[in-house]
Amino acid sequence: MSPIITGLLLTVALSVFVMIMAGRAGVLLAMKGDNRLNNIPYRTMQLVRFGLGQKRLVDPEEFTPGLMHVFIYVAFMVLTLRTLMLFTMGFSSTALALLSDMTEPLWDGHEFLQGLYKVFLLVKDVAATLAVLGVGYFFFFRSKVKPDRVTPSWEAYLILGFIGALMVTEFFFGGSHIVAQNAPFAWWEPATSVVGMAMKGLPPTVAHVLGVAGYWTHVTIILVFLNFLPLGKHFHIITGLPNVFFQRTTPNGKLGTPNLEKEEFGTATVKDMTWKQGLDLYSCTECGRCQTHCPTYITGKPLTHKAVNQDLKHWLWENERWIEEGYGPTGVKEPLPEIIGSALKAETVWACTSCGWCETACPVFIENIPRLIDMRRYQVQVKAEFPPEIQRVFEGIERQGNPWGLGQDRRDEWAEDLALPTWGDGGGPYEYLFFVGCAGSYDDKQKKVSRALVKILREAGVSFATLSKQEVCNGESARRMGNEYLYQTMAKMNVESWNGLGVKAVITQCPHCFNTIKNEYPEFGGDYRVINHTQLINDLLNEKRIKLSQVMNSKLTYHDPCYLGRHNGVYDAPREVLKAIPGLEVVEMQRSKREGFCCGAGGGRMWMEEHIGTRINHNRINEVALTLQHSADPSTPFPDATDKKKPGQVGDYKDKGGSGVVAVACPFCSTMLKDAVNDTGREENIQVKDITELVADAMEVRRSPVTVAPSAAVSPKPE
């Protein structure tokens, strides 16, 4: 090889790479700080599992493409060491002789090291062969399968060509040495040996030229590839592993808490983003997995997290000097523009339901939701620009402690005849505070769920009390709609009150309340043992404190609430409760558990109008109907879950077929799905029932029953 040419190539390539990376790094350094060096053991474990181990790549819904990506990834990791060897060969003829000839005398007396090297060569050959298989698969995947989540891209084909060429040139380089040494087939280089055997049919000079060409082509591609990485989506090859390491260590459903006293009012410009949020943008692989079950994408809203990441990333790259030094496109110093209006549209930021699918699916742990909520915070708290219909929600929470703005004195009307104990009334001690929630207190349908839960708790002999008229909203909707000040006001008030009363454990019937009190209240001193009603009911069944004896000959499917399932991992308890009800036939929807589809109410969308695209709750109730219909009549056409050309086809079912019950465990989901049943004309076929109601109906009552008193109807949404 040639030390001069090798050195020249390295000098030029590394110089260009450093210049490009200086701009990329400078942008991150100009952003806000974020301590991501806590809990190093956990971060290291996550890096091993999800970064080096590629665990998310082989999730069930994308197993085959994920496996092929793993093949290429492993080859890259192995070829990284091999590349260092190749550059060393370029500088040293001794290294070339030693690393390409197992009969070289320098190996004498070093049999152990030679054995290790042979094992490495075997791993390298197998990995390179599998990478060629992966490259072929992805050429087919992109050109023939054309999955919806994958954006057509010349860059992808170029990179696949680079990867394939790296593997092939490695085989040619090794094969030429087999020819030169007239070596036999070697078990430690099976693929290279096959190529070498084939090259023996060529004239020695031709074989040598192929080997030399293979070497220089290989190292040139490596250096070109290196400089191409920071210019496109394959930047994740550099940033992906660090991004996995620096992932958040807090629960998925927890948002960060800004310091309002330091005027941290949200994200206005890109410099208000943290360096980790910038690294997220750099790390987006554009794989599109975030789209497959995204409710906004499936229903035609102006939001896909892949597109948001690309829009923001390219804005950063096109304006590096502006971000770092303050010089705008005209060459003079000027303030950075706000993100909304320059890189993103307002309707994009407000479309998100915060369902969490994008973050669950992302192989490099990009945190999309906090970034969008930070933008909402600025729009609400500084600009006062937000969907007009949520103004009444803010006012209702602020003035009356609930989003409907109904009188605080009506908070306990749902339980007027139940003689419930009130925490702090001199009774007790009580084991649990039953936090009824705004919907459970005011929404006419959810009041029945509250009463059903009281019936179950009393039958099981659970020690509990409510706050009666003193209960107020926990602030969850306000926070996710960007009104952080109002949320923190409610959170601090609740924590101070509950701590003063000595509350230690809380029962919730709303996953949004559950997530907020469990994951977000601890930052304000509210450390409670929080249990969702489905978990508690499941525990009571397992402890045989309640007995279900009423047979329900009905077909049922269960809708996973996002803030119970994806954000908090509660999937089994609701299903175990349903399976305990005699006669109930439970059938799963195609999009269930971690792949569950949002009802459309999260992220404060419960309180906003939905004018763009099709309604999310309609898509979900269509799937409910199709699931029930297909279960009753298997001849009903049912979309294949492995069909990647159009995601969410189960939500396209428009027929009125399908009879049974859709069970829910969230008041927001209940409202959205009930509305969808009415909107689609399925009132006679499909019932929406909370799991609590089903259990209360099936439960054998040995204590005094709880009657349901009539009450004034309350619209689930403010008019």
Side-chain angles (χ1 to χ4, degrees), residues 341-448:
S342 59
L344 300 176
K345 296 179 180 179
E347 60 191 20
T348 297
V349 173
W350 287 103
C352 183
T353 68
S354 72
C355 76
W357 166 251
C358 55
E359 297 185 2
T360 297
C362 182
V364 291
F365 289 79
I366 292 173
E367 298 160 20
N368 296 297
I369 297 172
R371 190 191 325 130
L372 290 179
I373 298 299
D374 277 340
M375 294 179 195
R376 290 183 181 183
R377 285 169 174 164
Y378 177 77
Q379 292 300 110
V380 170
Q381 298 178 129
V382 178
K383 301 277 287 185
E385 295 178 0
F386 46 82
E389 59 267 26
I390 65 177
Q391 178 65 42
R392 292 184 62 183
V393 178
F394 292 152
E395 292 175 353
I397 296 173
E398 184 176 354
R399 297 173 183 175
Q400 297 292 346
N402 68 85
W404 289 278
L406 297 172
Q408 182 68 20
D409 59 341
R410 297 179 58 189
R411 187 98 192 182
D412 61 351
E413 283 184 357
W414 68 274
E416 281 181 336
D417 61 328
L418 300 184
L420 294 180
T422 300
W423 203 300
D425 63 357
Y430 305 107
E431 182 179 2
Y432 291 102
L433 167 65
F434 173 24
F435 184 78
V436 183
C438 298
S441 299
Y442 291 104
D443 176 37
D444 215 35
K445 185 178 188 306
Q446 200 64 24
K447 289 179 186 179
K448 298 176 183 178

Side-chain angles (χ1 to χ4, degrees), residues 137-138 162 182 223 242 292 336 356 359 425 447 530 559 642:
Y137 171 83
F138 281 117
F162 278 171
N182 195 27
L223 296 175
T292 54
L336 285 168
E359 297 185 2
D425 63 357
K447 289 179 186 179
V530 187
H559 165 80
T642 62

Side-chain angles (χ1 to χ4, degrees), residues 390-622:
I390 65 177
Q391 178 65 42
R392 292 184 62 183
V393 178
F394 292 152
E395 292 175 353
I397 296 173
E398 184 176 354
R399 297 173 183 175
Q400 297 292 346
N402 68 85
W404 289 278
L406 297 172
Q408 182 68 20
D409 59 341
R410 297 179 58 189
R411 187 98 192 182
D412 61 351
E413 283 184 357
W414 68 274
E416 281 181 336
D417 61 328
L418 300 184
L420 294 180
T422 300
W423 203 300
D425 63 357
Y430 305 107
E431 182 179 2
Y432 291 102
L433 167 65
F434 173 24
F435 184 78
V436 183
C438 298
S441 299
Y442 291 104
D443 176 37
D444 215 35
K445 185 178 188 306
Q446 200 64 24
K447 289 179 186 179
K448 298 176 183 178
V449 178
S450 301
R451 296 175 69 87
L453 185 54
V454 168
K455 176 182 176 181
I456 295 168
L457 296 177
R458 282 181 162 170
E459 178 64 28
V462 175
S463 170
F464 74 97
T466 71
L467 293 173
S468 189
K469 290 182 174 62
Q470 304 309 309
E471 181 183 289
V472 293
C473 182
N474 62 69
E476 189 269 352
S477 288
R479 171 169 250 200
R480 277 153 183 81
M481 290 190 293
N483 197 334
E484 182 68 18
Y485 175 80
L486 179 56
Y487 162 73
Q488 290 196 21
T489 299
M490 304 305 292
K492 291 174 182 177
M493 181 169 59
N494 278 327
V495 168
E496 182 180 359
S497 171
W498 299 359
N499 287 352
L501 293 170
V503 173
K504 301 297 182 185
V506 181
I507 299 170
T508 68
Q509 60 174 319
C510 170
H512 297 264
C513 301
F514 173 70
N515 178 73
T516 296
I517 299 169
K518 177 176 182 285
N519 295 324
E520 298 182 334
Y521 270 27
E523 275 199 87
F524 301 92
D527 292 300
Y528 314 111
R529 180 166 60 90
V530 187
I531 187 168
N532 174 262
H533 65 309
T534 63
Q535 295 173 304
L536 179 60
I537 293 171
N538 192 43
D539 289 345
L540 297 177
L541 285 168
N542 291 334
E543 295 166 7
K544 302 190 184 312
R545 294 170 66 178
I546 57 174
K547 181 179 179 181
L548 307 184
S549 57
Q550 181 66 42
V551 177
M552 292 187 177
N553 294 316
S554 179
K555 198 179 296 290
L556 174 148
T557 190
Y558 172 64
H559 165 80
D560 286 281
C562 301
Y563 274 82
L564 187 61
R566 267 197 293 270
H567 284 300
N568 285 285
V570 180
Y571 296 115
D572 296 334
R575 288 172 169 81
E576 290 173 7
V577 170
L578 291 171
K579 290 177 182 177
I581 299 176
L584 201 61
E585 181 185 350
V586 181
V587 292
E588 287 283 2
M589 284 187 271
Q590 187 180 95
R591 298 177 294 187
S592 62
K593 296 187 177 180
R594 67 178 292 278
E595 297 178 61
F597 193 73
C598 182
C599 73
R605 291 296 315 180
M606 168 77 177
W607 315 105
M608 302 181 216
E609 298 298 331
E610 188 176 355
H611 299 298
I612 303 173
T614 58
R615 294 186 65 86
I616 295 171
N617 58 341
H618 289 188
N619 185 285
R620 187 54 161 171
I621 207 66
N622 288 343

